[in-house]
């Protein structure tokens, strides 16, 4: 049980980066961007292919961010310059990226034009390189000895990945917080709230939308690159349903922690991603459910996250009205 929860938290922190990207379009820009399902794989495919070709994992990860940013910008251009509905623009880009991703992964093999997956079993990744520094510190043995003393039987092999991902995700959260408080960030937030108003201040909303969607998909591609290095493979189908996972993380986090400030909301998104992975892991432990039911479980979690807060709010409203009525009587 502990091992399953530990793995869920590890993955949840990585997926939290993707959730931050979804938050930028879904909440900040009010832009339903389905490019996420494609750009997640684009980040994974770019990083995996470059690592297989002998590039440094950090360089491969940075390249994935750039490619994800470009994909997002193209979606923004389709919407702003092509006057295509944002939902449709995202769908078009998602479909187009499927073929692009196959081509990218095909670059890892001289004898293939396109490939459906790229294995990284014997390749150096960001995580394997960090663990070379982490393991001699002896932190793993100290923490595992402490847990074994508390009666925990199944212990994780290493705490290093969790440690580095907490630092990286926290740093990205702070960067997003800072960016959204800058002049450009405030303009992007204003564009999501009221385009006409921000245009009256002579701001170019088209450029702001393109930038916002580009940054969102850059974060999504980064998450894809890290997941590929974490799971040791990149696959053309690994991005299916990523937008739903991102939305679930955003909705769950906001329902629990609220949205009173930017810092609080981004924190809620990060914790929401972790809670989502834990709930998913617990659901899969139910006997009649299988790993193939993961998408159905995700859909149910999103439905509950959307409906339950509304039901709770309605109950609170009824209690408030009842108190007002009693006060009048």
């Amino acid at each position: 049980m502990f091992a399953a929860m530990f793995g869920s938290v590890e993955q949840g922190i990585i997926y939290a980066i993707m959730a931050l990207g979804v938050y930028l379009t879904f909440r900040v820009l009010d832009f339903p961007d389905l490019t996420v399902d494609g750009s997640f794989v684009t980040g994974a495919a770019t990083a995996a292919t470059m690592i297989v070709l002998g590039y440094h994992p950090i360089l491969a990860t940075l390249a994935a961010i750039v490619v994800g940013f470009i994909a997002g910008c193209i979606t923004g251009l389709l919407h702003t310059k092509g006057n295509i509905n944002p939902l449709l623009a995202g769908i078009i880009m998602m479909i187009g990226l499927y073929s692009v991703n196959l081509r990218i992964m095909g670059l890892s093999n001289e004898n293939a034009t396109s490939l459906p997956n790229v294995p990284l079993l014997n390749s150096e990744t960001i995580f394997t390189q960090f663990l070379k520094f982490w393991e001699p510190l002896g932190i793993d043995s100290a923490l595992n000895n402490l847990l074994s003393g508390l009666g925990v039987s199944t212990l994780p092999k290493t705490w290093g990945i969790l440690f580095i991902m907490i630092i990286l995700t926290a740093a990205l959260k702070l960067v997003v917080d800072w960016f959204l408080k800058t002049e450009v960030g405030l303009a992007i937030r204003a564009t999501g709230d009221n385009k006409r108003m921000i245009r009256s201040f002579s701001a170019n909303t088209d450029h702001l939308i393109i930038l916002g969607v580009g940054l969102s998909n850059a974060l999504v591609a980064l998450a894809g690159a890290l997941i590929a290095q974490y799971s040791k493979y990149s696959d053309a189908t690994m991005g299916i349903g990523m937008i739903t996972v991102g939305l679930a993380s955003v909705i769950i986090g906001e329902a629990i922690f609220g949205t009173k400030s930017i810092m609080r909301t981004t924190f809620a998104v990060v914790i929401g991603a972790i809670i989502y992975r834990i709930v998913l892991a617990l659901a899969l432990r139910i006997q009649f459910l299988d790993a193939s039911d993961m998408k159905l479980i995700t859909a149910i979690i999103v439905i509950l996250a959307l409906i339950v807060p509304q039901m709770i709010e309605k109950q609170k409203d009824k209690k408030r009205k009842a108190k007002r009525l009693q006060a009048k009587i």
Side-chain angles (χ1 to χ4, degrees):
M1 183 69 174
F2 178 81
M5 292 300 101
F6 182 85
S8 298
V9 173
E10 257 186 355
Q11 292 181 43
I13 293 174
I14 301 175
Y15 280 110
I17 298 171
M18 183 268 297
L20 284 171
V22 173
Y23 165 74
L24 285 177
T25 48
F26 181 63
R27 287 297 194 215
V28 177
L29 269 177
D30 193 23
F31 189 105
D33 182 26
L34 294 183
T35 313
V36 169
D37 282 18
S39 60
F40 184 86
V41 184
T42 303
T46 303
T49 300
M50 289 186 68
I51 289 170
V52 169
L53 291 174
Y55 290 92
H56 195 281
I58 293 177
L59 182 62
T61 305
L62 292 174
I65 296 171
V66 173
V67 174
F69 178 78
I70 293 169
C73 287
I74 294 172
T75 301
L77 283 167
L78 289 174
H79 169 57
T80 57
K81 305 303 180 183
N83 295 318
I84 299 173
N85 178 278
L87 193 62
L88 184 57
I91 293 171
I92 291 168
M93 197 61 198
M94 175 185 67
I95 293 169
L97 283 175
Y98 184 83
S99 295
V100 172
N101 296 334
L102 292 175
R103 286 278 186 171
I104 291 172
M105 288 188 282
L107 295 173
S108 63
N109 191 324
E110 294 179 357
N111 301 319
T113 305
S114 61
L115 285 174
N117 53 65
V118 176
L120 294 171
L121 294 174
N122 299 316
S123 302
E124 285 287 318
T125 66
I126 283 178
F127 299 119
T128 56
Q129 291 196 338
F130 177 75
L131 290 177
K132 288 178 182 178
F133 161 78
W134 173 266
E135 288 171 355
L137 299 176
I139 298 174
D140 287 337
S141 57
L143 290 172
N144 286 340
N145 288 336
L146 178 64
L147 287 173
S148 60
L150 295 172
V152 179
S153 56
T154 52
L155 300 170
K157 291 181 179 179
T158 179
W159 293 76
I161 295 174
L162 180 64
F163 177 81
I164 189 63
M165 284 314 307
I166 287 173
I167 293 175
L168 179 59
T169 304
L172 287 170
K173 178 218 175 299
L174 293 173
V175 169
V176 171
D177 293 343
W178 167 81
F179 174 74
L180 291 176
K181 291 177 181 178
T182 62
E183 187 175 342
V184 176
L186 289 169
I188 289 174
R189 289 163 63 186
T191 300
D193 287 335
N194 193 326
K195 284 184 185 179
R196 289 185 179 180
M197 181 195 74
I198 196 68
R199 280 174 184 162
S200 67
F201 292 105
S202 301
N204 192 320
T205 54
D206 288 355
H207 291 173
L208 292 170
I209 290 170
I210 293 167
L211 176 62
V213 179
L215 291 173
S216 168
N217 283 279
L219 288 171
V220 172
L222 171 59
L226 293 171
I227 285 292
Q229 294 175 72
Y230 175 82
S231 56
K232 289 283 187 177
Y233 76 94
S234 168
D235 190 272
T237 61
M238 68 192 298
I240 295 174
M242 277 302 116
I243 183 63
T244 312
V245 174
L247 291 176
S249 303
V250 172
I251 293 163
I252 291 169
E254 288 181 349
I256 296 172
F257 296 99
T259 58
K260 289 185 178 180
S261 66
I262 289 295
M263 290 186 69
R264 184 169 178 171
T265 306
T266 52
F267 175 77
V269 170
V270 171
I271 301 301
I274 297 170
I275 292 171
Y276 165 77
R277 298 305 303 186
I278 291 172
V279 171
L280 196 63
L282 291 173
L284 289 174
R285 292 181 71 86
I286 299 172
Q287 289 184 355
F288 65 86
L289 291 175
D290 191 70
S292 60
D293 300 319
M294 202 157 72
K295 301 303 178 187
L296 175 62
I297 296 167
T298 298
I300 293 169
I301 291 171
V302 173
I303 292 168
L304 291 174
L306 286 167
I307 294 174
V308 172
Q310 292 180 26
M311 294 173 64
I312 293 170
E313 192 60 35
K314 284 181 181 178
Q315 288 296 323
K316 286 181 179 178
D317 284 338
K318 285 182 181 179
K319 287 180 180 179
R320 289 192 200 105
K321 288 178 181 178
K323 284 182 181 179
R324 286 172 192 161
L325 187 61
Q326 285 180 355
K328 285 181 181 179
I329 294 170

